[in-house]
Amino acid sequence: MTAGGGAPTPYIPNTDADRALMLARLGIDSIETLFDDLPAALRDPAIALPPALAEAELMRLLARRGAQNAAGERPSFLGAGAYRRSIPAITAHLVSRSEFATSYTPYQPEISQGTLQAAFEYQSVVCELTGMEVSNTGMYDVASATAEACLLAARVTGRRALALLEPLHPGTADVVRTYAFGAGLRVDTLSAPQAMTAEHACLVAQQPDFLGAIRDLESVAGAAHDAGALCIAVADPFALGLLRAPGDAGADLVTGEGRDLAGPPGFGGPSLGIFAARERFLRQLPGRIVGRTRELAREGHEPRTGYVLTLQAREQFIRRERATSNFSTGQALLALAFTISVQALGPQGLRRAAELCYQRAHDAAARIGALPGFAIVERGPWFQEFLVRGPLPPAELARRLAAREITAGLDVSARPEPEARDALLFCVTEATAPEHVDALVAAMGTIGARS
Amino acid sequence: MSHDGDVGARLAFDRGAPGRRAVDVARWEGTPAALPPPGLLRDAVRLPELSQGELVRYYTELSGRNFGVDSGTYPLGSCTMKYNPKVDDLVASLPAFAEAHPLAPAATMQGTLRTLAELAAMLGELTGLPAVGLAPAAGAQGELAGMLMVRRALERRGDLAGRRRVLVPDSAHGTNPATAAMAGFEVTEVPSGPDGSIDQQALARTLDGDVAALMVTVPNTLGLWERGIEAVAARVHEAGALLYGDGANLNAILGRVRFGDLGFDVVHLNLHKTFSTPHGGGGPGAGPVCATPALAPFLPAPVVTEDADGSLRLVRPEHSIGQLQQFHGSIGVLLRAHAYIRSLGIEGLRAVSANAVLNANYLRALLEGSYALPYQRRALHEVVFSGSPQRREHGVRTYDIAKRLIDYGFHPPTVYFPLIVEEALMIEPTETESRESIEAFAAALRAIAEEAERDPDLLHAAPRHAPIGRLDEAGAARRPVLRWQPPAQPAEPRDER
Ligand SMILES: Cc1ncc(COP(=O)(O)O)c(C=O)c1O
């Protein structure tokens, strides 16, 4: 197709000369012959795609598209499930190594020890943070991991209803409903754990909750257990640098979102669903699990330590319709990034970063709360998100801030909780630029003075 | 690369020393707010303490114990391990895309939304199924989306209660039956005929009014065209059921025939396969669903929509099955796939299928005679051989052949799948392998066939030239060790005073 018989694209090596040689070996004279089985009447339809672009042109197009996004540049106080973190520089560097990035599921452990050992590090980090005994190698995102946790709870309890404790991230609740539709499970939304009944397989509780408050997970888990149900904690792994491990507070399963520690928010994905559990649920876990083992034999030497995919009798490629999940390709590269970030921070660094986040958020809230016309809704201890009521309706306040090129916190005024009434949910983390907070406080001060 | 040390015995947790750190974190300089009450706070967390250089060396050493597409030929059947263009990674990492918060107002995200809308339109055009949902995170989640759409569509027309069964060919990938079960259906397996396509008579016998859908992989996992699929589509529709397509093997037929034209109602694609986004050691991927306009109201949320003034935003389709992720999907993967399609155009994509199929058939020709070929038909994107003669005659299993390939410097093909081929060796070279590397790979497999006759123990002992030898997988499952534990402390000497 290319003039001069060259290769058709930079990614395809075959030239006309190669093709001629190969076709001769096959005893045919056209590649088209290889497609003879395809229905002739439907072959080679007209397909309208934009014209091909050389690399430099492609970059120009996407740079132009990028320029139509204003979001990355401006001060933003959105959290609500995606939190900007200070990611160590080594993370992006290491995960871009193509031995990691261009490999696949480690079916051949002898040449996949990098992926496998890193996954074992990941499982270990997740167990340490969550206070759980076992972890899989990661799932799509927090919401789908939570949905899978609910399915597990329904399997082991034999119960057909799920309980979601508000305030829960609406995206998480939505995904649980999607999976529950397939499984034929009922989903109930509770405003207090005491509303649990003997019909519920589990109680799903977010830590910190969707409106930012830190829960007393122990009492939540107690209520779930009193009803004979499992407690599923949906925890922010970064906040666990400071907060009590959910396992320690009695949770049976812990899910969480690992994307924020893996890299930039990326408009929300790809993500990383943390899934950790008590040991007694090990054989019910969805997803891949890596185990430590040894070489079978090694002439004249001690067998060395290695890692393999294990407990695979749970999985779709063996168990098919009786598998614990259909899960196959996951989020291995994000799990690697998450692991490196957490290990780079280390025990002191993680604690210090979580405290820095806490202090910056509380400082910002105090400054906003001191402005005339503004108030922070009192909800007890909180981590990085707070509810702001201003002198204007939330949507109007957000619009005024947007006019000053500041993205306000999320408008949660339509939510059922009384504390969310008339409120915007602001988020400040350790990675929020102090100048951005200054700009926000100044803008709010001006808006407050005028209204 | 040193193979002698026991690298696996020493995790990051076992390295470094207390007090070392890999990164600095600023201290809070202002007046500190009171921390939450101690009952809500954790004890110390056990994590490694390494200097930055130590941590980088450790993970660099691990990367050296891995094999990727950039390392060499990786003909893992059904996985389409093609070369991943680096410019696609660069595009996805542009800060204007990568730094965006998922809830950023649509007005500030028009560049990303335009790109996603264009990707959806291009996938609709390539599949002939114009209703496209980009939300699914991987192939299996795309399958779930598609089967939940089937469920919702049947429910809306009051036809769900009577349609409990989903038919799945015995050659299907394990995710298909597992997905059907997650979507609330019972699975009936349909046998393949002697030519590797669905056994039409068996299908006719089981296809009746209680069937919700038939899930078919095209081309199928044997690398063969599913003969008579148009007629199957008609029969499925006559029975009031829907036809689901597993499009993970789209690479074979890109630009040549479209699922929509064949009569499929909904398919999922694996962007990490056909559209060359890096596989990441097992993800992230993306598994969009493409459907007929009739199924558009059921698509997973969100989808991109264009308003009259030309501005774009994310919306929830009217009768959506719901969301599949907390936010909008694997955006970074979608951006890469978009860049891939934009760089190749339709002529480039047709060259992809042409050369993928040529390469698979060339490899088939080079290996015929050395290994058994259970289906004598022309291959499409991959070819499935059987090592059963080697097993029968020389006591060498496909497992051993795969391990020996490692010694020759290749990643082994997929083995023991599809399940209907004994001792299966499923080989997918893809279009990005050169003629020379295919010849070298075939030469290695032929040499191994000869070794199997001459010296089977050579294969039983393989690999010899890998970072590690065969591992005790049975032991790993019997006595699971699944996380780091601190080394047992020597007992404290008792104070006798
Ligand atoms: C034919 C086929 N269908 C479905 C899948 C599932 O896709 P994923 O692994 O992205 O979930 C795969 C690959 O694993 C496949 O090869």
Coordinates of all heavy atoms in Angstrom, one line a residue, chain B residues 358-407:
Chain B
L358 N -1.6 -12.7 8.1 CA -0.5 -13.2 7.3 C 0.6 -13.8 8.2 O 1.0 -15.0 8.0 CB 0.2 -12.1 6.4 CG 1.4 -12.6 5.6 CD1 1.0 -13.6 4.6 CD2 2.0 -11.4 4.9
N359 N 0.9 -13.1 9.2 CA 2.0 -13.6 10.2 C 1.5 -14.9 10.8 O 2.3 -15.9 11.0 CB 2.3 -12.6 11.2 CG 3.2 -11.5 10.7 OD1 3.6 -11.5 9.5 ND2 3.5 -10.5 11.5
A360 N 0.3 -15.0 11.2 CA -0.2 -16.2 11.9 C -0.2 -17.4 10.9 O 0.2 -18.5 11.3 CB -1.6 -16.0 12.4
N361 N -0.6 -17.1 9.7 CA -0.6 -18.2 8.7 C 0.8 -18.7 8.3 O 1.1 -19.8 8.0 CB -1.4 -17.8 7.5 CG -2.9 -18.0 7.7 OD1 -3.4 -19.2 7.7 ND2 -3.6 -17.0 8.0
Y362 N 1.7 -17.7 8.2 CA 3.1 -18.0 7.9 C 3.7 -18.9 9.0 O 4.3 -19.9 8.8 CB 3.9 -16.7 7.8 CG 5.3 -16.9 7.3 CD1 5.6 -17.5 6.1 CD2 6.4 -16.3 8.1 CE1 6.9 -17.7 5.7 CE2 7.7 -16.4 7.6 CZ 8.0 -17.1 6.4 OH 9.3 -17.3 6.0
L363 N 3.4 -18.5 10.3 CA 3.9 -19.3 11.4 C 3.3 -20.7 11.4 O 4.0 -21.7 11.6 CB 3.5 -18.6 12.7 CG 4.0 -19.2 14.0 CD1 5.5 -19.2 14.0 CD2 3.4 -18.5 15.2
R364 N 2.0 -20.8 11.0 CA 1.3 -22.1 10.9 C 2.0 -22.9 9.9 O 2.3 -24.1 10.2 CB -0.1 -21.8 10.5 CG -1.0 -23.0 10.3 CD -2.3 -22.5 9.8 NE -3.3 -23.6 9.6 CZ -3.3 -24.3 8.5 NH1 -2.4 -24.2 7.5 NH2 -4.3 -25.3 8.4
A365 N 2.4 -22.3 8.8 CA 3.1 -23.1 7.7 C 4.5 -23.6 8.2 O 4.9 -24.7 7.9 CB 3.2 -22.3 6.4
L366 N 5.2 -22.7 8.9 CA 6.5 -23.1 9.4 C 6.5 -24.2 10.4 O 7.5 -24.9 10.6 CB 7.2 -21.9 9.9 CG 7.5 -20.7 8.9 CD1 8.2 -19.5 9.6 CD2 8.3 -21.1 7.7
L367 N 5.4 -24.3 11.1 CA 5.3 -25.3 12.2 C 4.6 -26.6 11.9 O 4.6 -27.5 12.6 CB 4.7 -24.6 13.5 CG 5.6 -23.6 14.2 CD1 4.9 -23.0 15.3 CD2 6.9 -24.3 14.7
E368 N 3.8 -26.5 10.8 CA 3.1 -27.7 10.4 C 4.0 -28.9 10.2 O 5.1 -28.7 9.7 CB 2.3 -27.4 9.1 CG 0.9 -27.9 9.1 CD 0.1 -27.6 7.8 OE1 0.4 -26.6 7.2 OE2 -0.6 -28.5 7.5
G369 N 3.6 -30.0 10.8 CA 4.5 -31.2 10.7 C 5.3 -31.3 12.0 O 5.6 -32.5 12.3
S370 N 5.6 -30.3 12.7 CA 6.3 -30.4 13.9 C 5.4 -30.6 15.1 O 5.7 -31.3 16.1 CB 7.2 -29.2 14.2 OG 8.1 -29.0 13.2
Y371 N 4.2 -30.0 15.0 CA 3.2 -30.2 16.0 C 1.9 -30.5 15.4 O 1.7 -30.2 14.2 CB 3.1 -28.9 16.9 CG 4.3 -28.6 17.6 CD1 5.4 -27.8 17.1 CD2 4.5 -29.1 18.9 CE1 6.5 -27.6 17.8 CE2 5.7 -28.9 19.6 CZ 6.7 -28.1 19.0 OH 7.9 -27.9 19.7
A372 N 1.0 -31.1 16.1 CA -0.3 -31.5 15.6 C -1.2 -30.3 15.4 O -1.1 -29.3 16.2 CB -1.0 -32.5 16.5
L373 N -1.9 -30.3 14.3 CA -2.8 -29.1 14.0 C -4.2 -29.7 14.0 O -4.7 -30.3 13.1 CB -2.4 -28.6 12.6 CG -2.9 -27.2 12.2 CD1 -2.5 -26.2 13.3 CD2 -2.3 -26.9 10.9
P374 N -4.9 -29.5 15.2 CA -6.2 -30.1 15.3 C -7.3 -29.6 14.3 O -8.2 -30.4 14.0 CB -6.7 -29.8 16.7 CG -5.8 -28.7 17.2 CD -4.6 -28.8 16.4
Y375 N -7.2 -28.4 13.9 CA -8.1 -27.9 12.9 C -7.4 -27.5 11.7 O -6.5 -26.6 11.7 CB -8.9 -26.7 13.5 CG -9.7 -27.1 14.7 CD1 -9.2 -27.0 16.0 CD2 -11.0 -27.7 14.5 CE1 -9.9 -27.4 17.1 CE2 -11.7 -28.1 15.6 CZ -11.2 -28.0 16.9 OH -11.9 -28.4 18.0
Q376 N -7.7 -28.1 10.6 CA -6.9 -27.9 9.4 C -7.3 -26.7 8.5 O -6.9 -26.6 7.4 CB -7.0 -29.2 8.5 CG -6.4 -30.4 9.1 CD -4.8 -30.3 9.2 OE1 -4.2 -29.6 8.3 NE2 -4.2 -30.9 10.2
R377 N -8.1 -25.8 9.2 CA -8.5 -24.7 8.4 C -7.5 -23.6 8.5 O -6.6 -23.5 9.3 CB -9.8 -24.2 9.0 CG -11.0 -25.1 8.7 CD -12.2 -24.6 9.6 NE -12.5 -23.2 9.4 CZ -13.4 -22.6 10.1 NH1 -14.0 -23.2 11.1 NH2 -13.7 -21.3 9.8
R378 N -7.6 -22.6 7.5 CA -6.8 -21.5 7.5 C -6.9 -20.7 8.8 O -8.1 -20.5 9.3 CB -7.2 -20.6 6.3 CG -6.3 -19.6 5.9 CD -6.6 -19.2 4.4 NE -5.7 -19.9 3.5 CZ -6.1 -20.1 2.2 NH1 -7.2 -19.7 1.8 NH2 -5.2 -20.7 1.4
A379 N -5.8 -20.2 9.3 CA -5.9 -19.4 10.5 C -6.3 -18.0 10.3 O -6.1 -17.5 9.2 CB -4.6 -19.5 11.2
L380 N -6.8 -17.3 11.3 CA -6.9 -15.9 11.2 C -5.7 -15.3 12.0 O -4.6 -15.5 11.7 CB -8.3 -15.4 11.6 CG -9.3 -15.6 10.5 CD1 -10.7 -15.5 10.9 CD2 -9.0 -14.7 9.3
H381 N -6.0 -14.6 13.1 CA -5.0 -13.9 13.8 C -4.1 -14.8 14.7 O -3.0 -14.4 15.1 CB -5.6 -12.9 14.8 CG -6.5 -13.5 15.8 ND1 -7.6 -14.2 15.4 CD2 -6.4 -13.6 17.1 CE1 -8.2 -14.7 16.5 NE2 -7.5 -14.3 17.6
E382 N -4.5 -16.0 15.0 CA -3.7 -16.9 15.8 C -3.9 -18.3 15.3 O -4.9 -18.6 14.6 CB -4.1 -16.8 17.3 CG -5.5 -17.2 17.6 CD -5.9 -16.7 19.0 OE1 -5.1 -16.1 19.7 OE2 -7.1 -16.8 19.4
V383 N -3.0 -19.2 15.8 CA -3.1 -20.6 15.4 C -2.9 -21.5 16.6 O -2.1 -21.2 17.5 CB -2.1 -20.9 14.2 CG1 -0.7 -20.5 14.6 CG2 -2.2 -22.4 13.9
V384 N -3.8 -22.5 16.7 CA -3.7 -23.4 17.9 C -3.2 -24.7 17.5 O -3.8 -25.4 16.7 CB -5.1 -23.5 18.6 CG1 -5.0 -24.4 19.8 CG2 -5.7 -22.1 18.9
F385 N -2.0 -25.0 18.0 CA -1.4 -26.4 17.8 C -1.7 -27.2 19.0 O -2.1 -26.7 20.1 CB 0.1 -26.3 17.6 CG 0.5 -25.8 16.2 CD1 0.7 -24.4 16.0 CD2 0.6 -26.7 15.2 CE1 1.1 -24.0 14.7 CE2 0.9 -26.3 13.9 CZ 1.2 -24.9 13.7
S386 N -1.4 -28.5 18.9 CA -1.5 -29.4 20.0 C -0.2 -30.1 20.3 O 0.4 -30.6 19.3 CB -2.7 -30.4 19.8 OG -2.6 -31.4 20.8
G387 N 0.2 -30.2 21.5 CA 1.4 -31.0 21.8 C 1.1 -32.4 22.2 O 1.9 -33.1 22.9
S388 N -0.1 -32.9 21.9 CA -0.5 -34.2 22.4 C 0.4 -35.4 21.8 O 0.7 -36.3 22.5 CB -2.0 -34.5 22.2 OG -2.4 -34.4 20.9
P389 N 0.8 -35.3 20.5 CA 1.8 -36.4 20.1 C 3.1 -36.4 20.9 O 3.5 -37.4 21.3 CB 2.1 -36.0 18.6 CG 1.0 -35.1 18.2 CD 0.5 -34.4 19.4
Q390 N 3.6 -35.2 21.2 CA 4.8 -35.1 22.0 C 4.5 -35.7 23.4 O 5.4 -36.4 24.0 CB 5.2 -33.6 22.2 CG 6.0 -33.1 21.1 CD 5.1 -32.7 19.8 OE1 3.9 -32.6 19.9 NE2 5.8 -32.4 18.7
R391 N 3.3 -35.5 23.9 CA 3.0 -36.0 25.2 C 2.9 -37.6 25.2 O 3.5 -38.3 26.0 CB 1.7 -35.5 25.7 CG 1.3 -36.1 27.0 CD 0.3 -35.4 27.8 NE 0.2 -35.9 29.2 CZ -0.6 -35.5 30.1 NH1 -1.4 -34.5 29.9 NH2 -0.5 -36.0 31.3
R392 N 2.2 -38.0 24.1 CA 2.0 -39.5 24.0 C 3.3 -40.2 23.7 O 3.6 -41.2 24.3 CB 1.0 -39.7 22.8 CG 0.1 -40.8 23.0 CD -1.0 -40.9 21.9 NE -0.5 -40.4 20.6 CZ -1.0 -39.3 20.0 NH1 -2.0 -38.6 20.5 NH2 -0.5 -39.0 18.8
E393 N 4.0 -39.6 22.8 CA 5.2 -40.4 22.3 C 6.5 -40.2 23.1 O 7.3 -41.1 23.2 CB 5.5 -40.0 20.8 CG 4.4 -40.6 19.9 CD 4.3 -39.8 18.6 OE1 5.4 -39.3 18.1 OE2 3.2 -39.7 18.0
H394 N 6.6 -39.0 23.7 CA 7.8 -38.7 24.4 C 7.7 -38.3 25.9 O 8.7 -38.0 26.5 CB 8.6 -37.6 23.7 CG 8.7 -37.8 22.2 ND1 9.3 -38.9 21.6 CD2 8.1 -37.1 21.2 CE1 9.2 -38.8 20.3 NE2 8.5 -37.8 20.0
G395 N 6.4 -38.3 26.4 CA 6.2 -37.9 27.7 C 6.6 -36.5 28.0 O 6.9 -36.1 29.1
V396 N 6.5 -35.7 27.0 CA 6.7 -34.2 27.1 C 5.4 -33.5 27.0 O 4.7 -33.7 26.1 CB 7.7 -33.8 26.0 CG1 7.6 -32.3 25.9 CG2 9.1 -34.2 26.3
R397 N 5.1 -32.6 28.0 CA 3.9 -31.9 28.0 C 4.1 -30.5 27.3 O 5.2 -30.0 27.3 CB 3.3 -31.8 29.4 CG 2.9 -33.1 30.0 CD 2.5 -32.9 31.4 NE 3.5 -32.1 32.2 CZ 3.2 -31.3 33.2 NH1 2.0 -31.1 33.6 NH2 4.2 -30.7 33.8
T398 N 3.0 -29.9 26.9 CA 3.0 -28.6 26.4 C 3.6 -27.6 27.4 O 4.4 -26.7 27.1 CB 1.6 -28.1 26.1 OG1 1.2 -28.8 24.8 CG2 1.4 -26.6 25.9
Y399 N 3.4 -27.9 28.7 CA 4.0 -27.2 29.8 C 5.5 -27.1 29.6 O 6.2 -26.1 29.8 CB 3.6 -27.8 31.1 CG 4.0 -27.1 32.4 CD1 3.2 -26.1 32.9 CD2 5.1 -27.5 33.0 CE1 3.6 -25.5 34.1 CE2 5.5 -26.8 34.2 CZ 4.7 -25.8 34.7 OH 5.1 -25.2 35.9
D400 N 6.1 -28.3 29.3 CA 7.5 -28.4 29.2 C 8.0 -27.7 28.0 O 9.1 -27.0 28.0 CB 7.9 -29.9 29.1 CG 7.4 -30.7 30.3 OD1 7.6 -30.3 31.4 OD2 6.9 -31.8 30.1
I401 N 7.2 -27.7 26.9 CA 7.6 -27.0 25.7 C 7.6 -25.5 25.9 O 8.6 -24.8 25.5 CB 6.6 -27.4 24.5 CG1 6.7 -28.9 24.2 CG2 6.8 -26.5 23.3 CD1 5.6 -29.5 23.4
A402 N 6.6 -25.1 26.6 CA 6.6 -23.6 27.0 C 7.8 -23.2 27.8 O 8.4 -22.2 27.5 CB 5.3 -23.3 27.7
K403 N 8.1 -24.0 28.7 CA 9.3 -23.7 29.6 C 10.6 -23.7 28.8 O 11.5 -22.9 29.0 CB 9.4 -24.6 30.8 CG 8.2 -24.6 31.7 CD 7.9 -23.3 32.3 CE 6.7 -23.3 33.2 NZ 6.1 -22.0 33.4
R404 N 10.7 -24.6 27.9 CA 11.9 -24.7 27.0 C 12.0 -23.5 26.1 O 13.1 -23.0 25.9 CB 11.9 -26.0 26.2 CG 13.1 -26.2 25.4 CD 14.4 -26.4 26.2 NE 15.6 -26.6 25.4 CZ 16.8 -26.3 25.7 NH1 17.0 -25.7 26.9 NH2 17.8 -26.5 24.9
L405 N 10.9 -22.9 25.7 CA 10.9 -21.7 24.8 C 11.6 -20.6 25.5 O 12.2 -19.7 24.9 CB 9.5 -21.3 24.4 CG 9.0 -21.8 23.1 CD1 7.5 -21.5 22.9 CD2 9.8 -21.2 21.9
I406 N 11.4 -20.5 26.8 CA 12.0 -19.5 27.6 C 13.6 -19.5 27.5 O 14.2 -18.5 27.3 CB 11.6 -19.6 29.1 CG1 10.1 -19.3 29.3 CG2 12.5 -18.6 30.0 CD1 9.6 -19.6 30.7
D407 N 14.1 -20.7 27.4 CA 15.6 -20.8 27.2 C 16.0 -20.3 25.9 O 17.1 -19.9 25.7 CB 16.0 -22.3 27.4 CG 16.0 -22.8 28.8 OD1 16.1 -21.9 29.7 OD2 15.9 -24.0 29.0

